[in-house]
């Protein structure tokens, strides 16, 4: 199946700092999503972004499908941004199965 | 989008027992998905559940251990059978609409 790699695996930030999370994937995709898993375990949809750039408040994401990577930008980080960020892709050859990266664990300190 | 609810939200069970997790969606969907997330790990797909047919299980997961029901287009259950401490995980229900995936709040299971 498709390989999905996220980096860095762990990230510690001081509140107010900016960061970039990366997701590389090994094959063409129909969909790419970013999720935030909060400390209670709930997965929150951040972006549906198979290509292009989107922004939502302090968060933005860019996917360059031809180069098989996506970036998630977090600006002016807050302690509530802490948690695990997952990238998930839906390969072009299998419309029914999402493949998840291993996640980036973010800890924002006050 | 889709709004998904799961019951129970958490449970503590004794080894050898079984737990059934319920998943309810606010709209009709063709496929529902069940995932497991072991502590500190990413999500692993257990099976895909279509209404009116047997669930399709991923490698490493079997129907005897994780029986699934899908009686209609808005509801599914996952049973974790004959539990052991290794089954302690978060179990998540998911649906896909227009290629976008949505998750329920999860069921946090601890097996003693």
């Amino acid at each position: 199946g498709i390989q999905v790699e996220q980096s860095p695996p762990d990230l510690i930030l001081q509140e107010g700092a900016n960061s970039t999370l990366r997701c590389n994937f090994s094959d063409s995709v129909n969909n790419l999503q970013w999720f935030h898993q909060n400390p209670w375990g709930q997965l929150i949809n951040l972006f549906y972004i198979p290509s292009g750039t989107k922004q939502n408040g302090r968060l933005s994401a860019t996917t360059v499908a031809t180069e098989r990577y996506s970036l998630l930008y977090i600006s002016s980080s807050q302690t509530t941004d802490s948690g695990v960020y997952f990238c998930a892709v839906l390969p072009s050859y299998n419309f029914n199965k999402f493949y998840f990266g291993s996640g980036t664990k973010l800890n924002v300190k006050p | 989008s889709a709004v998904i609810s799961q019951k129970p939200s958490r449970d503590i069970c004794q080894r050898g027992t079984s737990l059934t997790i319920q998943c309810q969606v606010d709209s009709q969907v063709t496929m529902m998905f069940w995932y497991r997330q072991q502590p500190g790990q990413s999500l692993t797909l257990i099976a895909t559940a279509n209404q009116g047919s047997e669930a399709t299980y991923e490698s490493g997961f079997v129907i005897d251990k994780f029986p699934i029901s899908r009686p209609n287009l808005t509801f599914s259950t996952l049973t974790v059978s004959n539990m052991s401490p290794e089954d302690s995980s978060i179990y998540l229900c998911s649906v896909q609409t227009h290629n976008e995936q949505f998750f329920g709040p999860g069921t946090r299971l601890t097996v003693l």
Side-chain angles (χ1 to χ4, degrees):
Chain A
I2 192 170
Q3 303 300 310
V4 183
E5 296 179 352
Q6 291 186 243
S7 59
D10 295 279
L11 187 58
I12 300 174
L13 296 176
Q14 206 64 37
E15 197 168 27
N18 304 328
S19 64
T20 301
L21 282 58
R22 187 175 181 104
C23 173
N24 292 334
F25 45 96
S26 61
D27 210 332
S28 61
V29 299
N30 275 338
N31 180 19
L32 186 145
Q33 289 183 247
W34 285 97
F35 297 91
H36 175 216
Q37 188 169 40
N38 62 28
W40 296 270
Q42 186 156 10
L43 278 164
I44 310 298
N45 286 38
L46 296 178
F47 292 102
Y48 165 81
I49 187 165
S51 63
T53 297
K54 291 186 177 180
Q55 180 154 8
N56 184 1
R58 297 180 296 102
L59 303 181
S60 65
T62 295
T63 297
V64 183
T66 53
E67 298 187 19
R68 298 181 182 167
Y69 73 89
S70 183
L71 302 174
L72 177 68
Y73 306 94
I74 304 175
S75 64
S76 303
S77 59
Q78 301 176 356
T79 56
T80 52
D81 294 331
S82 296
V84 183
Y85 290 80
F86 288 104
C87 167
V89 302
L90 185 66
S92 300
Y93 58 80
N94 185 343
F95 280 44
N96 297 328
K97 183 176 177 179
F98 275 82
Y99 290 79
F100 279 78
S102 54
T104 292
K105 186 174 182 179
L106 174 63
N107 184 5
V108 181
K109 295 184 176 296
Chain B
S1 67
V3 178
I4 305 169
S5 59
Q6 281 185 239
K7 289 194 296 187
S9 59
R10 58 176 61 233
D11 208 339
I12 300 173
C13 301
Q14 297 297 318
R15 69 170 66 210
T17 63
S18 298
L19 176 72
T20 296
I21 302 167
Q22 299 179 9
C23 177
Q24 180 77 50
V25 189
D26 68 339
S27 57
Q28 294 184 340
V29 292
T30 303
M31 288 187 291
M32 297 177 75
F33 305 88
W34 287 99
Y35 286 84
R36 180 176 74 181
Q37 186 180 26
Q38 295 177 300
Q41 303 296 311
S42 185
L43 282 74
T44 301
L45 181 64
I46 297 171
T48 302
N50 291 327
Q51 193 266 336
S53 64
E54 292 284 333
T56 302
Y57 289 83
E58 295 295 305
S59 176
F61 297 96
V62 295
I63 189 171
D64 290 345
K65 176 68 175 176
F66 298 101
I68 289 171
S69 77
R70 183 79 201 275
N72 58 52
L73 291 173
T74 63
F75 186 80
S76 179
T77 66
L78 169 75
T79 299
V80 186
S81 303
N82 188 25
M83 289 184 285
S84 67
E86 291 71 35
D87 294 319
S88 297
S89 297
I90 299 175
Y91 292 85
L92 297 120
C93 170
S94 167
V95 303
Q96 187 179 316
T97 61
H98 301 102
N99 283 349
E100 188 171 358
Q101 193 169 29
F102 299 89
F103 284 89
T107 296
R108 191 179 293 267
L109 171 63
T110 301
V111 184
L112 302 177

